[in-house]
Amino acid sequence: MSVVFSADLEDKNQEIGEIFTPRFDLCGLMTSVVTDACSGDLLMLAYMNAESIRLTLETGIAYFWSRSRKSLWKKGETSGNVFYIEEILIDCDQDALWLKVHVSGKKVACHTGARSCFYRRMTMDNDVIILK
Amino acid sequence: MSVVFSADLEDKNQEIGEIFTPRFDLCGLMTSVVTDACSGDLLMLAYMNAESIRLTLETGIAYFWSRSRKSLWKKGETSGNVFYIEEILIDCDQDALWLKVHVSGKKVACHTGARSCFYRRMTMDNDVIILK
């Protein structure tokens, strides 16, 4: 007979259960991976607190927590590039979210004007890491 | 004439430059988003320190930093599900990475045995968040 510790049981419930038992970090945030629902491309990483998760699920529009401004952030409120939610998935240990979205407006996710925040490739050149 | 502050210049160089100037968090880590190079599916989030980034670029195999074990972690070392790197991209402010990988072995990324850590959908049911 195998002994199951309560911590293991808790982990198991978190992994297979239908109950939302989020593991926020010490700042009350969870990392959110945002991909384009059509192309599948990774658009950006952002952070959500309990309020932004609830607002996002209720409205179908992505809300985040801005760590720099320390405030709730409706993505696209000023730029017009709103993220409309296609689907939200949560990971095994409930500390990360995957948002599949449709971007409105100019379909730009990054503040630099790029469609995605990930626009540079990393390579090694003579032991030096180069971005291109 | 617009005034450009040094902090702005620093940000700009970080955003457009070819020099790797990583913004690690207080633990010396960077979030890494891992997707399947073929399907585009999000497989997992993991964390990399300077050493694991360098090892990954040098070997073409994904190394992470295990926050729970507090040690370098060659993904798949025990499970056989090694991540072979197709491409690594970095985001605008150099605090996140996107690893496109080919998974070997049973092609399983998650410790639960699922192909991806993101296997549950979040929905609202009478104001309650449900995972299915």
Side-chain angles (χ1 to χ4, degrees), chain B residues 3-91:
Chain B
V3 178
V4 179
F5 295 99
S6 59
D8 294 336
L9 271 177
E10 196 186 310
D11 286 352
K12 212 72 198 162
N13 286 334
Q14 205 147 24
E15 288 171 0
I16 60 172
E18 291 191 0
I19 300 167
F20 181 48
T21 47
R23 276 189 180 152
F24 291 112
D25 67 12
L26 293 174
C27 301
L29 302 177
M30 193 178 282
T31 308
S32 301
V33 177
V34 184
T35 64
D36 184 295
C38 294
S39 69
D41 282 346
L42 176 59
L43 298 177
M44 63 184 286
L45 286 198
Y47 297 86
M48 295 175 98
N49 61 2
E51 188 188 1
S52 60
I53 291 172
R54 179 163 293 275
L55 270 170
T56 300
L57 283 166
E58 281 173 0
T59 63
I61 287 171
Y63 285 79
F64 302 107
W65 178 258
S66 167
R67 296 184 304 173
S68 56
R69 293 191 299 271
K70 293 182 178 48
S71 62
L72 197 71
W73 164 35
K74 180 185 170 187
K75 175 69 185 170
E77 192 160 31
T78 51
S79 68
N81 301 302
V82 174
F83 288 175
Y84 290 94
I85 304 294
E86 166 89 22
E87 188 175 30
I88 303 181
L89 295 108
I90 192 162
D91 76 339

Side-chain angles (χ1 to χ4, degrees), chain A residues 12-21 31-33 35 40-43 45 47 53-54 57-58 67 86-98 100 110-112 116-124 127-132, chain B residues 12-21 31-33 35 40-43 45 47 53-54 57-58 67 86-98 100 110-112 116-124 127-132:
Chain A
K12 212 74 197 157
N13 286 334
Q14 205 147 22
E15 287 170 1
I16 59 172
E18 293 191 359
I19 298 167
F20 180 49
T21 46
T31 307
S32 301
V33 178
T35 64
D41 283 344
L42 175 59
L43 298 177
L45 286 198
Y47 298 86
I53 291 172
R54 179 162 292 276
L57 283 166
E58 280 174 359
R67 295 185 302 172
E86 166 89 21
E87 189 175 30
I88 302 181
L89 295 108
I90 192 162
D91 76 338
C92 47
D93 55 359
Q94 300 200 31
D95 68 355
L97 298 174
W98 176 9
K100 299 182 186 178
C110 184
H111 74 284
T112 61
S116 160
C117 293
F118 295 81
Y119 49 81
R120 282 171 299 182
R121 193 168 187 246
M122 283 178 83
T123 52
M124 288 277 266
D127 269 359
V128 177
I129 298 174
I130 304 284
L131 315 179
K132 282 196 178 175
Chain B
K12 212 72 198 162
N13 286 334
Q14 205 147 24
E15 288 171 0
I16 60 172
E18 291 191 0
I19 300 167
F20 181 48
T21 47
T31 308
S32 301
V33 177
T35 64
D41 282 346
L42 176 59
L43 298 177
L45 286 198
Y47 297 86
I53 291 172
R54 179 163 293 275
L57 283 166
E58 281 173 0
R67 296 184 304 173
E86 166 89 22
E87 188 175 30
I88 303 181
L89 295 108
I90 192 162
D91 76 339
C92 47
D93 55 358
Q94 300 201 32
D95 69 354
L97 298 174
W98 176 10
K100 298 182 186 178
C110 184
H111 74 284
T112 61
S116 161
C117 293
F118 295 81
Y119 48 81
R120 283 171 299 182
R121 193 167 186 246
M122 282 179 82
T123 51
M124 289 276 268
D127 270 359
V128 177
I129 298 174
I130 304 285
L131 314 180
K132 282 194 176 172

